[in-house]
Amino acid sequence: MAVWVETERASGLSRRVRSSLAYVLLVISVVPILVGYAWLLIATFSYRTEGLLPKDAEGNVGGWTLANWAFVTDPLIWRVTLNSLLIALAMVVGVGLASSLAGYALSRMNFAGRRGVLSMTLILHAFPSVTLLISIFFVLQAISALPGIGDIFGYNTVGGVALVMVSLDLPLGIWLMKGFFDNISWDMERAALIDGASRFRVWWEIIMPQIRPGLAALAVFTFLTGWSAYLIPATFTIGTKVSNLPVYINYLMSETSPTNWNQIAAVGLFQMIPILVFFFFTQEKLLNIYSGGTKGGV
Amino acid sequence: MRVELRHLSKRWGNVVGVDNISLEVKDGEFVALLGPSGCGKTTTLLMIAGIYKPTSGEILFDGRVVNHIPPKDRNIGMVFQSYALYPHMTVFENIAYPLKLQKVPKEEQRRRVQHVADMMGIGHLLDRKPGQLSGGQQQRVALGRALVKDPKLLLFDEPLSNLDARLRLTMRGEIKRRQMELGITSIYVTHDQVEAMTMADRIAVIKDGKLQAYDTPDELYERPRTLFIAGFIGNPPMNLIKNVEVVVEGERYIARNEAFCLEVPAERGKKVVGQGKVILGIRPEDISLADDGEGVRGEVYVVEPLGRDDLVNVQLPGDTFVHFLADPALRLKPGMPVTLRFNTEKAQFFDPHTERSLLWQ
């Protein structure tokens, strides 16, 4: 009996040691990130920083200021924020809609060239978008020449940027959605067809609700991609009117005058705020997505 | 509704799913499609439902070809093995879905769903989601959904395979009862010959996509036309003994091999005599212990208690084994010598090459 108590205590102790060790390791590994965020926060409210310390003009500790945030009164920042939002929303809607329709067709229907489409999308996904920049430029130029559409989806328009972003993300989206559709039993679809639903209604009323978690995951990822997009907007827009937040930040780094890093930090933080709020309210659902889709009857 | 299949085939490239099946289901009849898994019975059912298009052949409902009519216009109800309920809808919404698609007024929907649900004994579960129900309850919902639109034809795709044994028995009786009450023509796919035997008016036995036999359960049991049917129908399965020769000795017909000499009734024996080596089929229940010690001698090999009976495997001289059903009170044990009496009134004979019955053509 006594021996048993001993071992129990010992194993309890070793378990505690082991779990605290895990915590220590975890804390150490996130320190660099946390310090980065701390610097970002401190920097936005000070004239300048040395390490994590805010300094004023004379080099004394202190010097808190709101000057870095003055940009919020500039109408331009709201313009580029709106552009960022438009691109991100276009991504969510465009990629979501197109890939759930294409994914459904690829998963469920047998048509000529199905295999070809599948392997082509996979190859396209492997293409780094940098290699396509020049050819996309010509495509956008061609679209610009079209009357009507050119003003919305042509070169140097928010629509054009969104269009390019959507198409570059489609291969991933289609494969992802195809995977989700593959997991849904054929019987449910057959039952709905026999119950009297049209193919479209089966897709919309029966199948789409089953893959809601997958669709939500895709929406989150595409929103974040759109929101923080830099390469495509920077390449296919001129000037700040049609640019988005990341490109705007780049404009703040002028080559002729000294860069105000603290202001850049403030804009960066400003760009992060919606994401933080979003994650704060949806973290539980997002975890659900990662831990594995639908469980029967939810 | 009368259903007729005419030379129905389904091929995917070189793979043959269903091969030239023709059969007719009378109005109000309950027909089982029976066969081992992968034999094409579900494919046949899905063609009748309109989910698959036949490669060739015709499907007729009441004499009208329906090959090109989509599933929704065929007025059928179907129950699936996986239940195929819509997990995001409540039980009510599930059963009401076919009515909603027919644009039946809300009030009538409510009334009809309630009626069907009460009939299936799930009237109190209408607000639940399928995930909150047991397997048996889910199957009742699926059946309710199939019945709610008053279909002219009911299709079942192994509906009881996912239920536990006890529930399967209950649901078996219940489905049969509902079908009789409602008089709806039904086609029932199963690999379980007991299910087919107990529920169906007629059974279509399918193997490798081909129709082997289409007859009443009694006929299939008493007069199996092929070796496959003989071995497939009946539980425990029929004993099939190879290398048996039937000869005439005076007035008597004798079936013999190295293990035994059995007298066979003349009307059976004369069809087999002179056919060379044939296969003798005899069901375990037609073999009994001989009390007087005269009969076929052998040694108990394995005893499998089934509860009411013991299924006993007996080794006969040579390498022949036969199963028979014995009273557990006899307490037979492996190694015990036994003498068996074969009821040759029920003996079947098959040609070993064509695998067809020599008695029934």
Side-chain angles (χ1 to χ4, degrees):
Chain A
M1 188 68 185
V3 176
W4 180 77
V5 171
E6 278 301 299
T7 55
E8 164 78 350
R9 202 174 289 156
S11 74
L13 194 69
S14 76
R15 201 184 309 143
R16 220 169 300 148
V17 168
R18 229 180 299 154
S19 68
S20 33
L21 199 69
Y23 276 114
V24 170
L25 280 173
L26 283 174
V27 168
I28 291 174
S29 62
V30 296
V31 156
I33 307 170
L34 288 179
V35 168
Y37 281 120
W39 179 87
L40 188 71
L41 196 65
I42 294 165
T44 61
F45 292 110
S46 50
Y47 281 111
R48 60 195 187 86
T49 46
E50 279 178 17
L52 286 176
L53 287 178
K55 295 281 173 75
D56 61 12
E58 279 91 50
N60 304 317
V61 175
W64 298 101
T65 178
L66 281 176
N68 296 325
W69 287 86
F71 68 85
V72 294
T73 58
D74 180 3
L76 184 62
I77 185 74
W78 297 108
R79 180 75 191 257
V80 294
T81 307
L82 179 69
N83 288 346
S84 265
L85 190 69
L86 284 176
I87 293 171
L89 288 180
M91 292 273 294
V92 170
V93 176
V95 176
L97 197 67
S99 40
S100 50
L101 282 166
Y104 177 77
L106 288 169
S107 163
R108 287 300 204 247
M109 292 171 184
N110 214 345
F111 49 88
R114 176 176 170 276
R115 291 184 70 88
V117 171
L118 272 176
S119 42
M120 276 307 286
T121 27
L122 203 62
I123 292 167
L124 282 178
H125 181 49
F127 251 86
S129 40
V130 189
T131 57
L132 297 172
L133 286 180
I134 295 170
S135 48
I136 291 173
F137 171 77
F138 286 117
V139 172
L140 284 179
Q141 286 271 297
I143 295 176
S144 288
L146 297 172
I149 316 171
D151 299 335
I152 308 167
F153 293 113
Y155 179 72
N156 199 27
T157 61
V158 176
V161 170
L163 186 68
V164 173
M165 295 284 299
V166 165
S167 36
L168 286 176
D169 244 29
L170 268 183
L172 172 75
I174 289 172
W175 267 90
L176 214 65
M177 295 310 278
K178 180 191 172 288
F180 285 121
F181 286 121
D182 284 348
N183 280 332
I184 297 193
S185 92
W186 283 79
D187 279 355
M188 201 186 294
E189 201 163 343
R190 289 167 180 161
L193 283 174
I194 290 169
D195 280 350
S198 62
R199 201 82 204 220
F200 183 77
R201 267 190 106 143
V202 172
W203 174 77
W204 179 246
E205 284 185 351
I206 305 298
I207 306 298
M208 285 305 272
Q210 313 299 320
I211 57 155
R212 243 181 346 215
L215 202 59
L218 184 66
V220 170
F221 291 129
T222 48
F223 185 89
L224 293 182
T225 313
W227 182 256
S228 53
Y230 173 73
L231 182 67
I232 304 293
T235 316
F236 300 120
T237 59
I238 309 164
T240 45
K241 281 228 171 65
V242 288
S243 75
N244 64 350
L245 272 169
V247 177
Y248 176 82
I249 292 176
N250 191 43
Y251 279 120
L252 293 178
M253 292 186 256
S254 155
E255 277 168 26
T256 49
S257 58
T259 305
N260 182 353
W261 290 109
N262 296 50
Q263 190 195 3
I264 289 179
V267 181
L269 190 62
F270 176 78
Q271 192 200 336
M272 269 178 60
I273 289 170
I275 308 289
L276 287 177
V277 172
F278 177 75
F279 269 99
F280 185 77
F281 284 109
T282 59
Q283 52 180 330
E284 224 166 285
K285 287 213 170 101
L286 286 178
L287 279 176
N288 271 338
I289 295 169
Y290 293 126
S291 64
T294 40
K295 268 180 196 145
V298 183
Chain B
M1 185 165 71
R2 201 159 45 81
V3 180
E4 209 183 327
L5 311 182
R6 281 186 194 158
H7 307 290
L8 197 63
S9 293
K10 177 71 183 175
R11 282 184 294 274
W12 291 274
N14 290 329
V15 183
V16 179
V18 173
D19 191 3
N20 196 15
I21 285 184
S22 299
L23 58 84
E24 194 193 342
V25 181
K26 291 187 218 130
D27 186 36
E29 200 176 17
F30 193 120
V31 165
L33 304 184
L34 176 65
S37 46
C39 73
K41 54 197 191 303
T42 298
T43 308
T44 309
L45 197 72
L46 288 174
M47 282 195 281
I48 299 171
I51 302 288
Y52 287 167
K53 287 204 171 66
T55 312
S56 62
E58 285 173 335
I59 300 165
L60 294 91
F61 286 0
D62 278 336
R64 202 164 56 97
V65 176
V66 295
N67 281 32
H68 295 288
I69 296 180
K72 66 189 175 91
D73 299 324
R74 293 192 181 196
N75 201 4
I76 49 183
M78 186 157 172
V79 182
F80 294 85
Q81 179 180 359
S82 60
Y83 318 131
L85 297 176
Y86 313 129
H88 57 294
M89 297 185 186
T90 63
V91 169
F92 178 87
E93 288 165 334
N94 262 282
I95 301 178
Y97 192 63
L99 301 179
K100 184 180 147 196
L101 293 171
Q102 287 179 358
K103 300 203 170 60
V104 171
K106 278 264 155 43
E107 199 39 53
E108 197 190 331
Q109 278 186 28
R110 191 158 294 284
R111 194 176 51 72
R112 283 168 69 176
V113 170
Q114 191 67 51
H115 173 72
V116 167
D118 288 341
M119 184 169 78
M120 298 310 304
I122 46 166
H124 56 296
L125 301 172
L126 290 178
D127 296 329
R128 305 264 189 96
K129 293 272 179 73
Q132 299 166 296
L133 304 180
S134 70
Q137 288 168 333
Q138 290 190 35
Q139 194 54 279
R140 280 163 209 263
V141 176
L143 197 52
R145 186 179 63 185
L147 286 172
V148 76
K149 55 179 175 178
D150 293 327
K152 289 275 189 288
L153 174 64
L154 269 177
L155 304 176
F156 298 89
D157 185 10
E158 311 228 4
L160 305 182
S161 299
N162 282 5
L163 301 178
D164 62 67
R166 212 188 135 107
L167 200 54
R168 203 178 304 164
L169 216 71
T170 321
M171 286 301 288
R172 204 162 82 191
E174 210 161 305
I175 289 177
K176 187 171 181 178
R177 171 92 205 193
R178 296 276 166 265
Q179 194 270 340
M180 270 164 61
E181 279 171 2
L182 300 170
I184 305 174
T185 313
S186 301
I187 301 177
Y188 189 106
V189 160
T190 180
H191 64 268
D192 179 348
Q193 50 95 13
V194 179
E195 243 169 54
M197 294 283 285
T198 51
M199 298 172 82
D201 299 321
R202 277 198 286 175
I203 300 174
V205 183
I206 299 174
K207 186 196 176 197
D208 299 333
K210 290 191 179 71
L211 186 64
Q212 294 272 319
Y214 183 41
D215 229 323
T216 61
D218 279 354
E219 272 292 310
L220 291 176
Y221 192 79
E222 299 290 343
R223 282 181 274 279
R225 299 288 204 276
T226 67
L227 196 63
F228 173 75
I229 295 166
F232 197 65
I233 302 276
N235 187 27
M238 184 185 281
N239 294 299
L240 298 168
I241 304 165
K242 285 178 195 158
N243 293 329
V244 177
E245 201 172 1
V246 177
V247 293
V248 201
E249 287 179 6
E251 295 283 282
R252 306 189 314 160
Y253 290 88
I254 307 289
R256 67 179 186 203
N257 75 351
E258 49 188 326
F260 53 72
C261 278
L262 298 166
E263 184 172 352
V264 182
E267 76 270 16
R268 294 198 182 208
K270 66 186 172 200
K271 290 181 184 167
V272 191
V273 75
Q275 298 279 353
K277 305 273 190 197
V278 298
I279 295 173
L280 166 73
I282 186 142
R283 293 196 184 277
E285 56 266 40
D286 295 324
I287 300 177
S288 54
L289 279 178
D291 308 321
D292 52 9
E294 254 185 65
V296 181
R297 288 176 201 285
E299 190 180 90
V300 176
Y301 188 69
V302 179
V303 179
E304 297 167 66
L306 300 178
R308 199 185 53 180
D309 301 298
D310 279 350
L311 180 62
V312 184
N313 195 0
V314 176
Q315 182 168 24
L316 305 180
D319 223 8
T320 309
F321 289 86
V322 292
H323 282 98
F324 82 105
L325 292 169
D327 187 346
L330 294 172
R331 298 186 179 283
L332 293 177
K333 292 271 179 298
M336 284 168 70
V338 287
T339 309
L340 302 177
R341 170 160 298 158
F342 286 42
N343 178 10
T344 49
E345 301 277 337
K346 298 282 184 72
Q348 309 286 339
F349 294 95
F350 301 94
D351 185 307
H353 304 294
T354 64
E355 301 198 341
R356 299 200 146 270
S357 172
L358 294 165
L359 303 181
W360 332 105
Q361 298 304 333

